[in-house]
Amino acid sequence: MRIRWGAALLAAGCATALAGIDQTKHNLGTTGPGEVKALTEERICIFCHAPHRARTQAPLWNREDSTATYLLYDSTTLDALPDQPTGASRMCLSCHDGTVALGDLHSEPSEIEFPAGHRYLDETTGSLGTDLGDDHPISFVYDSGLVSQDPELRDPQAIPPPVHLDSSSQLQCTSCHDPHDDTYGKFLLTSDTGGQLCTSCHDKTNWDTSVHATSTAQWDGTPPDPWPGSSDRTVADNACRSCHTPHTAAQPERLVKRAPEEEACYACHNGHVATLDIQAEFQKSYTHPIDVTQGVHEPDEDPFLMARHVECADCHEPHQAWHAPASPPAASGALRGTSGIDIDGQPVKPVQFMYEVCFKCHADTTNATQAIPRTAGEINTRLEFAPDAISFHPVAQPGKNPDVPSLIPPLTESSQIYCTDCHASDQADSGGSQGPHGSVNPFILRLNYDTDDYTPESSQAYALCYRCHSRSVLLSKNQSGFKLHKKHVVGEDAPCSACHDPHGVSSVAGDPTGNTHLISFDTRIVSPNRKGILRFEDLGTHRGSCSLKCHGEDHDRKSY
């Protein structure tokens, strides 16, 4: 009676499994719908289970374990401690590592025959190989201790069914896959539309409100397909799968599906999903050189010690970025969650102000160069904008000059601006990218700004300056605050840059009387006078003097 009852249970279980598995690739019998199937064996369950002569390993396991030693996933951001595959994962790998013949079964006296070329799984039919370094980690303990190390993981008690851990609190292949049921594709336990499967365990900060979790943008059909193999057609529905893949990732660390790094972003940011074509921006003459380095960026890198590089993720945190406008100096939603350096030179994450993102590379880092040699030159941009700087454009705080008559409303002396008011796409003012991805203008400037000596003045030559400063006022003898602007810029063809450093003059490089009004002379154009003096002196409101030589003219305390 006991034997009959057990047989009945096994029959019922097999019938339930058959109902789900017979029309999937896991039916390796002759009736299977997949490419890989046995030549003569009709039974379905036999390739994994056997009612008699099975191994003692539950559940009536019928396959021989692989003897392979696996290369495991590793990452600088991995807090878990994966070990050689155990439990259900070891069972899965007895087919999916490609080292054990599909017909090599414990209960059978001889190997079940498969067609030539299909005796083992290969990379085209589902083999992961023995290198699991590009696959999601498995066989590690997932407990509250792990969550305390990585707060962006859900507590194991909060993982929603059917996603689950095994009896040893380990994450295994079966935490995400049900080998008997292919309802959701790839034998997933549940749908991954909207990142549902991934977010069962991963609770990324601000993900739910991020643009990558909520955008309804669709692909316009222009190749390449950003979501090959996916039936989901919006950014929100593809969610995590837009950038990541759990198996055979092109970039193993963090399982990024495309390489190099920027290709993961270009898949959508090429004008065929997202509105703006950011990929085209990086093909312009002047860009942040994201294609120069590969695999250097680390999410938790030390900005003071990191190798010099720039990648999309240096400025954007893709799990948090969202559409949220802001006013200077606050960081916009596109920068939410990223790291930076504050005005005091301290690392911050997340940034509060846009300039903190720029300071991460353009402040206290080494290997910086000075584009234009100046009398009060400074390579640390943070010091140029610091509170104790002599003069500066109002990026980190309102400017020190209470009288700037050339400002175009609504700008006033108390206004602040962004770095991107000067550094952005050359199409920024006509609806293009507002970020400093690329430009046809040097220094990734949004408008033209000539710095060569003997440049004829025009609205185009100094379009960048004239974006905020009225050209008519600046060139007016009575309105500009410096009546000799027109004489220098129009009469002498001297560029604005000959006298002014557009960022500012730090307290380290300059002094309170010699470097007000952003004055720091371009030493390629301006040189010491016959007495060896090269200096401007502020003598009060709208008054000053110069001692220098420029365009062959020698000034000795020439005042205005």
Side-chain angles (χ1 to χ4, degrees):
M1 186 69 178
R2 186 179 305 160
I3 295 174
R4 289 177 182 174
W5 180 243
L9 282 175
L10 180 60
C14 197
T16 301
L18 278 170
I21 199 174
D22 63 337
Q23 293 303 310
T24 75
K25 292 180 180 179
H26 279 172
N27 177 1
L28 299 178
T30 56
T31 62
E35 175 187 354
V36 180
K37 51 188 173 184
L39 289 174
T40 59
E41 180 57 62
E42 296 182 356
R43 291 175 292 176
I44 296 176
C45 301
I46 194 70
F47 294 97
C48 292
H49 310 285
H52 303 290
R53 297 191 301 276
R55 296 173 58 191
T56 57
Q57 186 176 1
L60 294 174
W61 193 242
N62 197 30
R63 294 195 55 74
E64 301 297 343
D65 283 345
S66 170
T67 60
T69 298
Y70 299 93
L71 180 64
L72 304 178
Y73 175 84
D74 191 24
S75 167
T76 57
T77 53
L78 178 66
D79 294 305
L81 299 173
D83 204 344
Q84 289 294 306
T86 60
S89 296
R90 196 85 188 185
M91 296 180 188
C92 298
L93 287 167
S94 66
C95 276
H96 286 282
D97 74 356
T99 69
V100 181
L102 298 175
D104 187 3
L105 308 179
H106 186 78
S107 67
E108 303 305 301
S110 61
E111 184 180 318
I112 294 176
E113 190 175 357
F114 278 73
H118 285 166
R119 185 182 174 202
Y120 302 89
L121 291 182
D122 60 30
E123 61 182 13
T124 68
T125 54
S127 173
L128 300 176
T130 58
D131 181 355
L132 304 182
D134 54 3
D135 300 285
H136 194 288
I138 52 174
S139 301
F140 63 86
V141 174
Y142 186 154
D143 57 13
S144 56
L146 177 61
V147 175
S148 68
Q149 292 178 275
D150 185 354
E152 290 192 318
L153 290 175
R154 294 192 188 280
D155 187 274
Q157 299 301 317
I159 296 176
V163 179
H164 62 280
L165 306 177
D166 71 5
S167 59
S168 299
S169 297
Q170 290 197 338
L171 186 139
Q172 304 286 11
C173 299
T174 49
S175 295
C176 296
H177 299 281
D178 180 348
H180 303 107
D181 187 350
D182 197 29
T183 300
Y184 300 107
K186 300 181 181 178
F187 297 93
L188 295 177
L189 284 173
T190 185
S191 171
D192 199 26
T193 294
Q196 179 180 336
L197 183 62
C198 302
T199 57
S200 295
C201 294
H202 295 278
D203 187 17
K204 302 296 289 183
T205 302
N206 290 327
W207 167 253
D208 289 344
T209 57
S210 74
V211 67
H212 290 139
T214 60
S215 173
T216 58
Q218 300 186 40
W219 177 45
D220 68 5
T222 303
D225 186 345
W227 307 302
S230 171
S231 60
D232 292 317
R233 295 290 88 190
T234 70
V235 173
D237 285 345
N238 279 282
C240 311
R241 285 182 279 118
S242 291
C243 300
H244 301 283
T245 182
H247 297 294
T248 59
Q251 294 183 70
E253 276 200 285
R254 291 169 282 281
L255 301 176
V256 181
K257 69 191 298 182
R258 294 178 176 87
E261 296 96 329
E262 53 269 16
E263 291 299 328
C265 304
Y266 289 164
C268 290
H269 293 278
N270 58 5
H272 301 304
V273 179
T275 302
L276 298 178
D277 187 351
I278 301 301
Q279 183 174 9
E281 294 294 314
F282 284 106
Q283 295 169 353
K284 292 181 177 178
S285 301
Y286 304 94
T287 68
H288 270 108
I290 60 173
D291 59 341
V292 170
T293 56
Q294 297 181 20
V296 176
H297 174 77
E298 292 289 340
D300 298 321
E301 62 197 7
D302 185 334
F304 301 117
L305 300 176
M306 66 185 185
R308 192 167 179 84
H309 70 276
V310 61
E311 297 292 352
C312 303
D314 281 296
C315 299
H316 303 287
E317 214 296 346
H319 303 104
Q320 299 192 45
W322 66 326
H323 293 306
S327 298
S332 68
L335 303 179
R336 183 169 68 165
T338 195
S339 62
I341 298 292
D342 68 17
I343 195 66
D344 297 318
Q346 298 301 311
V348 290
K349 188 174 183 179
V351 297
Q352 182 179 357
F353 306 114
M354 175 188 283
Y355 60 78
E356 293 173 333
V357 179
C358 304
F359 287 170
K360 184 161 58 174
C361 294
H362 296 285
D364 301 271
T365 52
T366 58
N367 301 321
T369 58
Q370 190 175 353
I372 295 176
R374 296 191 176 277
T375 53
E378 175 64 71
I379 62 173
N380 188 328
T381 305
R382 179 180 64 81
L383 298 181
E384 292 179 307
F385 292 121
D388 65 351
I390 308 305
S391 57
F392 44 77
H393 263 111
V395 169
Q397 60 191 323
K400 291 186 174 181
N401 189 351
D403 183 18
V404 188
S406 63
L407 290 175
I408 298 174
L411 292 174
T412 69
E413 286 82 357
S414 62
S415 296
Q416 286 188 246
I417 62 174
Y418 283 130
C419 299
T420 51
D421 281 313
C422 293
H423 300 283
S425 169
D426 55 285
Q427 297 175 318
D429 288 336
S430 57
S433 170
Q434 300 298 303
H437 305 109
S439 174
V440 298
N441 301 309
F443 312 118
I444 318 181
L445 294 175
R446 68 192 297 154
L447 294 170
N448 190 61
Y449 172 65
D450 285 335
T451 59
D452 292 336
D453 201 8
Y454 296 106
T455 295
E457 190 280 335
S458 69
S459 59
Q460 173 62 18
Y462 308 118
L464 187 68
C465 304
Y466 295 150
R467 184 171 183 268
C468 296
H469 296 277
S470 167
R471 182 186 180 206
S472 62
V473 171
L474 281 176
L475 300 182
S476 168
K477 183 176 181 180
N478 299 318
Q479 294 178 305
S480 72
F482 177 52
K483 64 182 182 180
L484 299 178
H485 261 141
K486 184 174 182 179
K487 173 178 172 56
H488 287 81
V489 178
V490 178
E492 299 290 341
D493 290 339
C496 304
S497 176
C499 298
H500 302 288
D501 185 330
H503 287 152
V505 182
S506 74
S507 61
V508 176
D511 67 75
T513 59
N515 299 103
T516 56
H517 310 297
L518 304 178
I519 291 186
S520 178
F521 297 111
D522 180 344
T523 56
R524 299 172 305 174
I525 300 172
V526 185
S527 59
N529 65 13
R530 63 181 182 275
K531 294 181 178 179
I533 303 173
L534 173 52
R535 179 176 175 78
F536 161 77
E537 187 172 2
D538 190 330
L539 299 177
T541 304
H542 300 172
R543 297 174 60 243
S545 73
C546 290
S547 297
L548 52 82
K549 185 177 182 179
C550 185
H551 289 192
E553 293 189 31
D554 196 274
H555 296 329
D556 183 13
R557 296 180 61 84
K558 186 175 180 64
S559 62
Y560 64 91

